[in-house]
Amino acid sequence: MKADEGAASVVVAIDGPAASGKSTVSRRLAGALGYLYVDSGALYRGVTWAALEQGIPGTDTARVLSCMAACRFAFEVADGAVVFTIDGFRPVGQLRTETVNRNVSPVAAVPEVRVQVVEWLRSLVRFGSLVMEGRDIGTKVFPASPFKFYLDAAPEERARRRHEEMAGQVSAAEVGESLKRRDLIDSRRQMDPLKVAADARVIDSTGMGVDDVVQVILADIEARRACAS
Ligand code: CDP
């Protein structure tokens, strides 16, 4: 990447806990703004999935790191998003199984994994302006972004949404427990834990539809732009 490449790109940061509606909202928002959508969690899931494929559990840090170093991650634009391939294969459904869900937070807590993923994420501005969702986008990946949002929702609503998405693969109670476990690891880990950026706008989406949330964010971006000009 050249020194000034991506300098004109704008990044909208959308952070929040698991199943708070970030993906759907971020994708729709990116479409409305004409920006590219980036799912940062997919990269942590990708590292986890690649390791699991080789029989390496998420808790075997040394082997997870060797596997990450040996895999070739490449990025490209598809369907309004920046997506990635691992050794030429683009995992999609493979990233969202319950096995990956169980292993991803321990993997994402490993400092070396975070350093690598943050480097990849920062490099994506070379593709243009982005709506990037995750846990630490406003606090760590793009702390200078003027547009930061933190999406939350009541735990029961998040569990219900995720259970619907997973189409009966696991019970509602298991989904609730799995989210709780991940939230705990994500907010307690030492490096870049999930927390609200001081200058983020917090949106509690409990009982709100996707379009309502997108409208609130678009209005806020417009207001901040008007203030800045
Ligand atoms: O879609 P969901 O909210 O369930 O999770 P995700 O965004 O796919 O992220 C999966 C996991 O990756 C999270 O539980 C975190 O452990 C980790 N993650 C992270 O640490 N930092 C990010 N910026 C994004 C995800």
Side-chain angles (χ1 to χ4, degrees):
M1 189 172 164
K2 294 189 211 103
D4 63 345
E5 208 176 355
S9 299
V10 173
V11 178
V12 178
I14 312 278
D15 288 305
S20 55
K22 300 185 304 286
S23 312
T24 325
V25 164
S26 302
R27 209 170 232 300
R28 197 106 34 111
L29 182 67
L33 290 166
Y35 293 2
L36 293 165
Y37 164 66
V38 182
D39 174 1
S40 69
L43 273 169
Y44 292 99
R45 288 176 180 272
V47 172
T48 308
W49 171 75
L52 290 168
E53 279 289 286
Q54 295 185 19
I56 306 167
T59 45
D60 190 342
T61 302
R63 290 175 70 215
V64 168
L65 291 176
S66 318
C67 170
M68 182 176 72
C71 289
R72 194 173 50 81
F73 281 74
F75 297 86
E76 64 194 28
V77 172
D79 291 332
V82 183
V83 297
F84 63 89
T85 54
I86 306 177
D87 294 332
F89 175 73
R90 183 176 158 198
V92 181
Q94 290 87 345
L95 300 182
R96 305 208 67 90
T97 64
E98 193 43 37
T99 319
V100 171
N101 285 346
R102 253 197 318 277
N103 283 272
V104 66
S105 288
V107 169
V110 176
E112 293 90 334
V113 170
R114 303 204 68 78
V115 168
Q116 175 61 83
V117 172
V118 169
E119 188 185 312
W120 281 329
L121 293 171
R122 287 183 178 151
S123 77
L124 300 185
V125 291
R126 68 184 187 274
F127 291 106
S129 293
L130 311 171
V131 174
M132 188 177 285
E133 58 135 322
R135 302 289 188 288
D136 59 345
I137 310 306
T139 52
K140 172 71 181 203
V141 186
F142 290 105
S145 163
F147 307 119
K148 299 180 187 175
F149 300 88
Y150 186 94
L151 236 60
D152 209 345
E156 313 76 57
E157 177 141 342
R158 296 198 281 120
R160 188 184 53 71
R161 288 175 185 169
R162 186 48 53 90
H163 183 237
E164 268 173 28
E165 261 169 44
M166 297 199 69
Q169 277 184 56
V170 280
S171 73
E174 278 172 303
V175 172
E177 278 313 305
S178 166
L179 290 184
K180 226 187 273 173
R181 209 170 29 243
R182 256 184 328 123
D183 284 350
L184 209 65
I185 302 178
D186 291 347
S187 50
R188 288 195 181 159
R189 70 172 172 238
Q190 218 151 10
M191 193 169 177
D192 309 324
L194 169 68
K195 64 168 189 248
V196 185
D199 49 349
R201 163 136 189 210
V202 179
I203 301 170
D204 183 344
S205 72
T206 312
M208 282 173 86
V210 173
D211 281 334
D212 302 331
V213 180
V214 171
Q215 286 313 318
V216 168
I217 296 178
L218 284 173
D220 194 282
I221 290 176
E222 203 150 304
R224 290 189 201 211
R225 279 202 168 124
C227 268
S229 64

